[in-house]
Amino acid sequence: MNIVATDLRPPANIKPIVAAASWLPDRYEATIKGDYLLLPVGRLAGTPLQPVTVEIDGVTKLVVDQSLAFGSIPVAGYLPLYDLTAYQGKKLRVLFHSYEGYKPSEPSARILMQRDIPGRETSNKKPAFHIHNRLGLINDPNGLFYLNGVYHIFHQYQYNMTGCSWAHYTSTDLMHWEERPIGLFHDEYGSMHSGSAAVDMMNTSGWQKGDIPPVIAAYTASRGMGGKDKIQMQGIAYSVDGGKTFTKYDGNPVLGQQQLLAKGSDHARDPKIFWFSPTKGRDPLAKDGYWVMILFEDDGMTIYTSKNLKQWERHGSISRFYECPELFPLAVDGNPNDVRWIMYGASGHYHIGAFDGKHFKPETKKKLPMYHDGRLYAAQTFNNTEKGFGGQPRRIQVGWQDGRRGQLSTPVELTLRTTPLGLRVCTLPVNEIENLYTRSVKLDGLKLSPGDANPLATLKKGLYDINLVADLAKAKEFTLNIRGTKLVAKVTDKGIAVGNMVIPETKVLSLRIVVDNKSMDIFLGENGIFYSARLYKPSSEALSMDVSGGEATFTELQVHELKSIWNK
């Protein structure tokens, strides 16, 4: 566009602009009768970004920049802005600006209060039982915790240019997920980057009100979008209503004041916090415990400790890890008297070792891969889970899959077992996946010869949990065709090979596969020694299998059709 000064009139068909667009105070007022406040947002291109303030009975609850759709701006979708369940019957005011200003008879923004958050598209091109973005962009899972029968997942979420926030989902069974209002919004310290959450069972923070212990979120506030102006600091927020809403600590940052003063640091992020006891490990009720934070700094993980979550002391560090740290105990083969600690970063490569509460000592000479031939990043495990294998807290993991427009991965459970490869972290889908079963086909004992008819011909729904154990001693190759994608297991002198995964010294194929519309989780070997979280593009919804070189005998062959959780 060119702007020039001239004394000529415009052509007859051009209407001159004689007044500048106004930017006037506007508001939405109502008595609260719904559970969720939903904000209409416009397309990112062409929608003005402006501060939106939420007041309840005159008290400011939230101020955040958003791409508000008002006036003639088309509504691209509705953003769940705030949880109103505790404020029924109170007065709500949402303050913003528009071009026309406040007109009681003609509200300029179609703000909603509802008992449900809008559903999402259901089709064979969208994830059927994975958390995925309804609006905006998705990445790292954050703040995974369990409290009073409810699992909470937050994840990196972006819908405007000012930075990331934490989207929020809850579930009672790790399978059926419900979207909740945004948990943490970007603020004056910057974008809400990755972090974790834990339940302060001992109320060390002093924030508890009533019978519900406070939930603590530890996060990275990242100021600046890159270059020398980028500053990363660690903050905490607390929830006194079980994770519905969070208040940021007014003493933030709890770590990173030096970065704030010196500027130019973007190598301190992704705090993982948990309660640790020298005598009882990860027991959140151990009175001799204290808080541990694992933080990515420079080229590795640094360990900090605290008694109250507000003042932190630095201890040891482990080099050659990158981003999104994790550290947790697992019982070897379920033996409660033989416990090791696992440390990994965003790629999933891990060390097995010992942890004394302040220092981690690796026992493995080099890091081991947790994922094989798949695409998964920044996986995090839940805090405060109930006891599971070997008396340790259940180690349930969820990762980020398929890029910024993708999904969060299938929840899996991690165990530490003795395998033909040595001591390894093994992975299988959580048992709660059975809550998605609709129809099951069980063919245990089946014998399949070359040229036989497809025994899975009746399965055509497209969403599956496949479990098989096959003796391939007489065969050369087994092929499972999953919606047009072939998975081939070859019998070799070294063992059974599937892609670049090889189960050594065996001719028995143990295979578990969870199939959604965009992803395929492959668990290979007994207890899931190898785990591959793959992406694929289905060309059909059917399954088939065949064998070459000789007969295959299936001691187990079970296929369960799954249902979608996004049915609204």
Side-chain angles (χ1 to χ4, degrees), residues 443 446-458 543-547 554 557:
L443 300 172
L446 174 77
K447 295 182 183 297
L448 184 67
S449 298
D452 281 356
N454 174 26
L456 306 179
T458 62
L543 293 177
S544 65
M545 54 192 291
D546 60 70
V547 65
F554 294 84
L557 178 53

Side-chain angles (χ1 to χ4, degrees), residues 331-333 389 415-419 422-426 526-527:
V332 177
D333 298 322
F389 192 64
T415 57
L416 186 61
R417 299 176 186 267
T418 303
T419 77
L423 205 57
R424 292 293 187 272
V425 173
C426 294
E526 190 176 4
N527 300 308

Side-chain angles (χ1 to χ4, degrees), residues 279-406:
T279 59
K280 297 184 178 180
R282 289 285 292 264
D283 184 347
L285 294 173
K287 294 182 178 180
D288 64 342
Y290 51 85
W291 291 100
V292 173
M293 176 193 292
I294 314 299
L295 186 69
F296 166 67
E297 290 185 313
D298 298 321
D299 72 336
M301 309 307 190
T302 303
I303 298 169
Y304 291 85
T305 62
S306 174
K307 283 290 186 180
N308 60 8
L309 292 156
K310 302 164 189 175
Q311 288 83 39
W312 293 88
E313 180 181 355
R314 190 179 192 275
H315 299 284
S317 62
I318 304 295
S319 62
R320 298 184 180 180
F321 279 102
Y322 185 71
E323 293 190 330
C324 305
E326 269 283 5
L327 179 62
F328 50 80
L330 291 174
V332 177
D333 298 322
N335 181 357
N337 298 314
D338 188 3
V339 176
R340 311 293 171 85
W341 285 75
I342 309 300
M343 176 179 279
Y344 71 76
S347 70
H349 286 71
Y350 64 94
H351 270 306
I352 302 172
F355 179 60
D356 64 5
K358 296 180 180 179
H359 301 86
F360 174 76
K361 183 178 180 181
E363 297 174 1
T364 41
K365 292 183 179 180
K366 61 181 182 179
K367 294 195 292 290
L368 303 169
M370 189 171 291
Y371 319 123
H372 304 261
D373 190 27
R375 185 177 178 182
L376 198 62
Y377 195 74
Q380 189 173 131
T381 67
F382 281 85
N383 273 333
N384 297 95
T385 51
E386 297 176 317
K387 288 184 179 180
F389 192 64
Q392 294 301 314
R394 287 185 72 189
R395 195 51 48 193
I396 301 166
Q397 183 192 71
V398 175
W400 171 36
Q401 195 174 18
D402 194 19
R404 301 290 303 278
R405 298 186 183 276

